[in-house]
Amino acid sequence: MPLGRRALLTGTAGSLAAATLPVRAMAAPRGTEPSGLLHGLAPRDGLFERLPVEDPSRTLLARGWLFHEGDITPPAPVTHDDTYSNAKAGNARGAAAMDYDDSDWTDVTLPHDWASAQGFVETANVAQGYRPRGIGWYRRTLRLDPADRGKRLELHFGAIATAATIWINGSIVARNFSGYNAIDIDMTPFARFGDELNVIAIRVDANAMEGWWYEGAGLYRHVWLSKRPPVSIATYGVHCDPRLGSDGRWSVPVTVTLNSIAREAATANVLVDLLDPAGKVVTSARGQAQLQPLAEGEVALSLPVDKPQRWSIETPTLYTVRVTTDAPGGGDERRIPIGFRTIRFDAEQGFFLNDKHVKLKGVCLHQDHAGVGVAVPDALLEWRLQRMKDTGVNAIRCSHNAQAPEFYQLCDRMGFVLMDENRIFNPAPENMAQLEWLVRAHRNHPSIILWSVFNEEPMQGTEAGVEMVRRMAAHVHALDDSRPVTAAMNGSFYDPKNVSSVVDVMGFNYYQREYDKFHALNPVKPSTSSEDTSAFMTRGAYTTDKAAHVMSSMDDEAAPWGATHRNAWAEIAKRRFVAGGFVWTGFDYHGEPTPFTWPTIASFFGILDLCGFPKTAYDIHRAHWIDDQPVVGVAPHWTWPGKEGQSIALLVTSNAERVRVVLNGRMIGEQAVDRIMGNSFTVPYAPGKLEAVALNGGREVARAVHETAGRAVALRLTPARRQILGDAEDVVPITIDAIDAKGRHVPTENRMTRFKIDGATLIGVGNGDPNSHESEKEPERSLFNGLAQMLVQAGEGRGKVTVVASADGLRPARLVIDRVAATPRAQVAVTPPGAFILQWRRSPSFATAPDPGLMPPTNDNNSWDFTRSGNTTGPEAGASFRLYRATLPVRRRVVADGGNITFARIDGRAIVHVDGRQVATKTDFAAAPLVAPIPPGAKTIAVIVEAQPNTRSGFNGTVRVAPKG
């Protein structure tokens, strides 16, 4: 039986038996890391464990989307009729129109970041990583079962980058200006059912920038469709954050917000259960709400809990609040994971979790990863967070925006504490709505310990800035009274008016020299470093070459406003009143290539590079932050041909008592460990084996080894996991490196590698080089200082994933990963797009058949009805004739080759004319379908329908246009 995620997180790489990895060539030696490969890159046991479903009414809407890159601007309306129609609901024009021809658009599966596939252009924005973003369109056809009538139907977009306009069935339903908040749309009033399909159209303007980093483009987070009963729990309608009372007793206050689209007043019964980690009901409470039609109601309950297990960083124990409702039309349910923990920021002692002092060992994170941009799959997101765990990180700042919902769920499960950060500093109503969403959406997560209302705002030292923060902080506290508010300040700390006076916790971005002064002047104000370090490193490079845009990884390069990794942490570690720090950054990210510009396209700040490969900073911070196991690291590598006899400066980092350096079996030196600054040794270079040995009580407790590599002779493939879920979603990162004849990693190899994959899809590649302009989508990538990465996404079902990597002059590597059978998450069925005639002009009644060329008078929008397919005409006393006119939807194949128009059902006799020529006749009054040919180039259709006395007539169903065959 495969190990679960907990085994994955707690197992040590050195104890994993590589014999279980079905690698056909160059397998890792049993019981060891692959020889010479960097820390943490050996394969782990276990499978990605899907996140629990909180809202069972939601179904993924990931497939069936069509994408067009570039804007589509319809001609401006000129005539009165066009202008009149343009102003009416449901009559969107251009690519937002229901009948728009999208037959040549590209099929895409979400999440999707179209900017990640762009080339790098020198004239594009430097902060966005020199990638053009532009404007794009998405369309999705959706069929709703007639049984869904009467339900509350909602679309949930995790986020769209960036400014988005959304249409449903030709009507604008939402405009959103931020790329980081969810967009929740009640599509119920716009919905159509059965064969009358729905069309979702989205225009995304990714030229709109909110940040100075790579922000991606498009529908880059999950999209869901929810179908709820008419009386249902509102989106973000459960607030259930536990509280510890002054009497030492725990309770879970639960507020449930309900809404109703029912046509009559209704009573909703609400049952709230608390489930322990094993799923057993601990306690329950019941309530009831009376709801008027199209109104909201609220039920407030409290669940007393006796001695719950605490949520902590080390043991992130989660309970579940299950809310179920019973009301006319059906029940609804939510399952909200919660954690019992207390938090406290103390002005003298720092941060306390469950009354235990905890130093915040944090990083700032952006969202993107090599190969996929910001469209990061859930399994890759977990892998990224696990890399942070491996580094010793216990805290994360969501810089400078809300993250994906799955991020918060994973942090709850994995044991991180979070500073959740607002994007736009502005208390205007639309921005306050964004802030309110942030708090409502995330306030149940035990991982969140701080709300940040801004980052580095120039108005932070002004009266206006103070008033803005006052309002934003008050709004946050009104929604959540359990967590403090901070702001990430970069100056103005002592100005007569500054926002530090109106936040609960002071946040320093850099300015470490001000810690003591500010604390002395504000002795009751808790403080933390909200951002620090900003050191530069190029992974695998150990000498700075600014002409080549390369920065040494020996921790001796930093931005003018920052400090090296060691110096920055030294200032935080020695002051207990500073709650902790957040290193800028955990990972490198696309964009903001400080201190360089073109051709550099990514940052140098990360502890890990764009692929999650460790830099020297990884070992530095492991020594700083890991307390429960001994660690040791040594930099640089030990492959320096041509430098024999030359002195090499070593940096050895450890959390042990002493460290010893050994070269080829000979001890070079031993020192007492400096856990913060590391230990320096100078060693004349001689090929062979360099070892750093960590000692406690004179006994070896950890060892880091570098061996001199020979000429590269083969490639090696090392997966992050030995198995992959066959659910078409799971992703496994695979490391590509070159090895010598003895299987040792070659850290200086940079040749191009090429990939072939069977049983899975390659969704991205990278190598961590901030200066590389190679495609992140093509099945090839150069090694950079010995490493590259591919991201492989599973297909469905049980089987094998086979990966072959090749390079000129090297033996290829072949890797086989087991694809484990798994039931894919439910997806909304893909509906083939169709061309339908939806709207008709219907003439007044005639006693005899009218001329088929008859048309409404120009600018007359009143004497002929506007009607829709599926809406028949009411009965009349005598026989009658009516003329229906419409424009044929433009479909390239139909225009070029002709096609057919299919009436699902016509009530009454009918004569069909296309462009004035009769093409079909229905001679029977009884309801029946009718198919009529469409000649190439046809533009208009006219149908004369004859009705019997006292009988309904017209088009009782869809009218579809399709190519021949």
Side-chain angles (χ1 to χ4, degrees):
M1 178 180 293
L3 295 177
R5 192 187 69 87
R6 183 56 52 192
L8 163 64
L9 298 186
T10 58
T12 58
S15 67
L16 297 177
T20 63
L21 176 67
V23 181
R24 302 298 185 251
M26 301 304 170
R30 182 177 179 87
T32 67
E33 294 264 1
S35 180
L37 203 58
L38 294 172
H39 298 304
L41 298 179
R44 296 171 180 264
D45 284 325
L47 287 162
F48 171 64
E49 189 174 308
R50 293 194 196 121
L51 294 165
V53 175
E54 294 187 8
D55 181 354
S57 74
R58 288 187 175 186
T59 307
L60 269 178
L61 194 60
R63 301 170 186 165
W65 291 89
L66 299 176
F67 172 68
H68 173 84
E69 187 176 345
D71 202 6
I72 299 171
T73 305
V78 175
T79 68
H80 178 274
D81 283 350
D82 283 348
T83 306
Y84 181 88
S85 176
N86 184 62
K88 301 301 178 181
N91 281 350
R93 304 167 70 246
M98 292 191 68
D99 61 359
Y100 183 79
D101 185 6
D102 54 18
S103 57
D104 63 346
W105 288 23
T106 303
D107 289 294
V108 297
T109 298
L110 306 185
H112 178 245
D113 172 8
W114 86 73
S116 68
Q118 302 292 326
F120 301 98
V121 178
E122 187 172 2
T123 55
N125 183 275
V126 56
Q128 297 285 339
Y130 293 107
R131 275 197 162 123
R133 298 167 73 212
I135 294 171
W137 283 83
Y138 294 85
R139 285 171 62 91
R140 200 344 175 133
T141 302
L142 178 66
R143 186 185 188 278
L144 294 171
D145 193 294
D148 294 331
R149 280 193 173 92
K151 294 180 180 178
R152 183 181 182 91
L153 306 170
E154 290 189 1
L155 286 172
H156 306 273
F157 295 86
I160 301 175
T162 295
T165 306
I166 303 173
W167 291 260
I168 296 177
N169 296 336
S171 291
I172 291 179
V173 296
R175 292 185 176 95
N176 191 72
F177 60 88
S178 175
Y180 299 103
N181 65 285
I183 308 165
D184 302 295
I185 298 166
D186 179 7
M187 68 173 290
T188 314
F190 308 96
R192 297 168 184 178
F193 301 91
D195 292 333
E196 191 173 5
L197 303 182
N198 299 268
V199 174
I200 305 164
I202 306 170
R203 180 183 185 269
V204 182
D205 181 359
N207 288 316
M209 298 182 195
E210 296 177 81
W212 48 97
W213 56 87
Y214 175 84
E215 297 184 278
L219 307 185
Y220 74 95
R221 290 183 185 162
H222 291 312
V223 178
W224 305 84
L225 172 67
S226 69
K227 299 178 181 181
R228 298 173 180 158
V231 177
S232 57
I233 303 167
T235 301
Y236 317 120
V238 179
H239 185 196
C240 52
D241 190 20
R243 298 290 190 275
L244 178 63
S246 57
D247 59 358
R249 296 177 180 273
W250 281 95
S251 66
V252 184
V254 182
T255 303
V256 182
T257 303
L258 304 157
N259 50 36
S260 173
I261 62 167
R263 293 180 176 272
E264 298 180 354
T267 299
N269 298 306
V270 177
L271 171 64
V272 179
D273 297 315
L274 179 67
L275 282 61
D276 68 14
K280 179 183 176 182
V281 175
V282 175
T283 184
S284 301
R286 295 178 182 273
Q288 193 175 82
Q290 306 294 324
L291 288 95
Q292 295 300 313
L294 301 177
E296 274 193 352
E298 193 173 273
V299 174
L301 302 167
S302 184
L303 301 173
V305 188
D306 186 36
K307 297 180 181 178
Q309 299 176 54
R310 297 289 186 101
W311 183 96
S312 68
I313 291 166
E314 298 78 16
T315 56
T317 302
L318 292 173
Y319 287 67
T320 300
V321 170
R322 181 177 63 196
V323 181
T324 54
T325 65
D326 178 21
D332 198 8
E333 181 181 335
R334 298 290 185 279
R335 289 173 171 260
I336 313 295
I338 62 168
F340 291 85
R341 89 288 183 272
T342 62
I343 61 172
R344 175 166 55 91
F345 283 86
D346 184 272
E348 290 293 338
Q349 301 297 317
F351 174 66
F352 289 80
L353 180 64
N354 297 321
D355 289 326
K356 175 186 173 184
H357 182 263
V358 174
K359 199 73 169 182
L360 299 178
K361 304 165 182 177
V363 293
C364 300
L365 289 184
H366 281 316
Q367 302 183 97
D368 61 304
H369 191 90
V372 293
V374 294
V376 178
D378 296 352
L380 180 59
L381 179 56
E382 185 194 45
W383 183 82
R384 284 169 57 87
L385 289 172
Q386 181 57 44
R387 298 298 287 133
M388 293 292 92
K389 274 287 179 183
D390 294 343
T391 311
V393 171
N394 65 13
I396 297 172
R397 177 184 177 210
C398 303
S399 51
H400 305 290
N401 48 264
Q403 304 284 317
E406 296 75 23
F407 170 87
Y408 300 94
Q409 290 179 275
L410 286 165
C411 288
D412 288 345
R413 292 173 61 177
M414 299 175 73
F416 292 98
V417 293
L418 303 179
M419 179 194 298
D420 206 8
E421 190 156 271
N422 174 61
R423 172 75 294 269
I424 299 174
F425 180 47
N426 189 330
E430 62 182 2
N431 303 107
M432 281 294 225
Q434 299 274 2
L435 179 60
E436 179 171 341
W437 165 82
L438 177 82
V439 179
R440 284 189 183 277
H442 302 155
R443 61 187 174 179
N444 294 323
H445 290 285
S447 53
I448 294 176
I449 61 169
L450 275 171
W451 302 110
S452 172
V453 294
F454 75 56
N455 172 70
E456 297 184 357
E457 288 291 338
M459 294 178 68
Q460 62 198 352
T462 67
E463 183 175 1
V466 170
E467 290 303 311
M468 292 163 70
V469 169
R470 282 185 64 222
R471 284 154 177 78
M472 296 175 78
H475 204 59
V476 170
H477 285 314
L479 295 165
D480 173 31
D481 62 358
S482 71
R483 299 172 178 90
V485 170
T486 188
M489 295 183 67
N490 64 331
S492 306
F493 315 120
Y494 314 116
D495 289 0
K497 299 284 188 180
N498 76 82
V499 302
S500 70
S501 64
V502 289
V503 295
D504 305 310
V505 176
M506 172 63 192
F508 284 95
N509 276 20
Y510 309 100
Y511 284 90
Q512 294 188 295
R513 63 186 180 277
E514 302 295 328
Y515 289 167
D516 295 331
K517 178 181 177 181
F518 183 89
H519 181 58
L521 293 173
N522 301 273
V524 297
K525 175 77 69 176
S527 62
T528 191
S529 168
S530 43
E531 183 175 322
D532 52 74
T533 310
S534 277
F536 303 132
M537 288 189 185
T538 300
R539 193 261 304 153
Y542 299 96
T543 303
T544 293
D545 183 350
K546 292 187 177 179
H549 293 200
V550 172
M551 304 299 276
S552 167
S553 278
M554 295 302 287
D555 198 33
D556 47 17
E557 299 284 357
W561 60 86
T564 65
H565 290 274
R566 293 169 292 165
N567 287 333
W569 184 248
E571 297 302 312
I572 295 166
K574 68 186 179 185
R575 292 173 171 87
R576 191 173 174 89
F577 70 82
V578 178
F582 294 87
V583 172
W584 190 265
T585 50
F587 288 80
D588 281 343
Y589 51 95
H590 296 86
E592 198 177 15
T594 307
F596 305 115
T597 55
W598 183 267
T600 305
I601 49 81
S603 76
F604 294 80
F605 296 117
I607 295 172
L608 310 179
D609 71 11
L610 274 167
C611 297
F613 296 144
K615 305 180 188 180
T616 305
Y618 173 80
D619 279 325
I620 290 171
H621 286 297
R622 280 170 61 82
H624 290 167
W625 294 342
I626 293 178
D627 298 318
D628 59 353
Q629 62 176 337
V631 299
V632 66
V634 57
H637 61 69
W638 204 243
T639 300
W640 301 100
K643 290 193 174 185
E644 287 77 7
Q646 297 181 30
S647 293
I648 302 289
L650 303 183
L651 175 62
V652 179
T653 53
S654 181
N655 59 1
E657 296 170 357
R658 300 186 66 80
V659 68
R660 177 184 299 158
V661 172
V662 177
L663 177 61
N664 293 329
R666 181 175 64 88
M667 189 173 82
I668 300 298
E670 182 177 311
Q671 299 177 13
V673 164
D674 184 336
R675 188 172 178 182
I676 301 294
M677 302 305 294
N679 294 79
S680 297
F681 295 84
T682 301
V683 181
Y685 176 65
K689 180 185 289 188
L690 177 72
E691 300 171 277
V693 182
L695 306 167
N696 280 337
R699 182 177 61 87
E700 177 182 333
V701 292
R703 180 181 295 252
V705 179
H706 291 320
E707 288 193 63
T708 304
R711 179 179 61 87
V713 299
L715 292 178
R716 173 169 55 189
L717 295 171
T718 306
R721 282 188 275 115
R722 295 182 169 91
Q723 295 175 314
I724 190 168
L725 289 174
D727 64 354
E729 286 193 75
D730 194 9
V731 171
V732 171
I734 299 174
T735 300
I736 309 104
D737 75 324
I739 55 178
D740 68 7
K742 294 185 177 180
R744 296 172 298 202
H745 169 68
V746 182
T748 56
E749 185 57 63
N750 294 299
R751 74 184 80 190
M752 176 66 73
T753 62
R754 297 173 293 276
F755 320 124
K756 292 182 180 179
I757 299 170
D758 183 54
T761 301
L762 180 69
I763 62 170
V765 296
N767 62 11
D769 181 1
N771 298 312
S772 175
H773 289 194
E774 295 173 11
S775 168
E776 295 190 29
K777 299 296 184 182
E778 294 297 321
E780 60 181 24
R781 190 69 172 186
S782 295
L783 298 176
F784 173 63
N785 291 334
L787 298 172
Q789 182 183 73
M790 67 177 83
L791 302 174
V792 172
Q793 189 166 58
E796 287 192 14
R798 187 181 184 88
K800 301 290 185 183
V801 175
T802 303
V803 181
V804 176
S806 61
D808 293 345
L810 300 179
R811 292 199 309 273
R814 183 172 181 265
L815 169 69
V816 179
I817 302 173
D818 285 329
R819 197 175 68 215
V820 178
T823 303
R825 287 199 289 188
Q827 296 265 356
V828 176
V830 175
T831 304
F836 294 85
I837 299 179
L838 302 169
Q839 186 160 287
W840 300 81
R841 296 300 302 275
R842 181 177 62 196
S843 75
S845 176
F846 296 96
T848 59
D851 182 343
L854 184 66
M855 303 180 74
T858 302
N859 299 339
D860 181 353
N861 292 296
N862 296 289
S863 59
W864 285 48
D865 295 328
F866 291 87
T867 190
R868 297 179 55 77
S869 299
N871 293 340
T872 55
T873 302
E876 299 183 49
S880 63
F881 295 83
R882 288 183 184 264
L883 176 62
Y884 296 77
R885 299 195 64 88
T887 301
L888 289 167
V890 175
R891 287 295 182 269
R892 292 172 182 83
R893 284 182 56 194
V894 175
V895 171
D897 304 325
N900 293 302
I901 181 167
T902 300
F903 297 83
R905 174 172 145 166
I906 298 180
D907 291 10
R909 292 175 175 169
I911 303 173
V912 181
H913 296 79
V914 174
D915 284 354
R917 185 167 70 89
Q918 182 175 324
V919 294
T921 303
K922 178 176 177 286
T923 59
D924 194 343
F925 282 107
L930 178 66
V931 178
I934 303 173
K939 295 183 179 179
T940 63
I941 182 170
V943 183
I944 299 172
V945 178
E946 179 184 358
Q948 289 181 298
N950 303 311
T951 305
R952 300 191 70 87
S953 62
F955 311 139
N956 194 354
T958 58
V959 182
R960 183 170 190 148
V961 173
K964 293 178 180 178

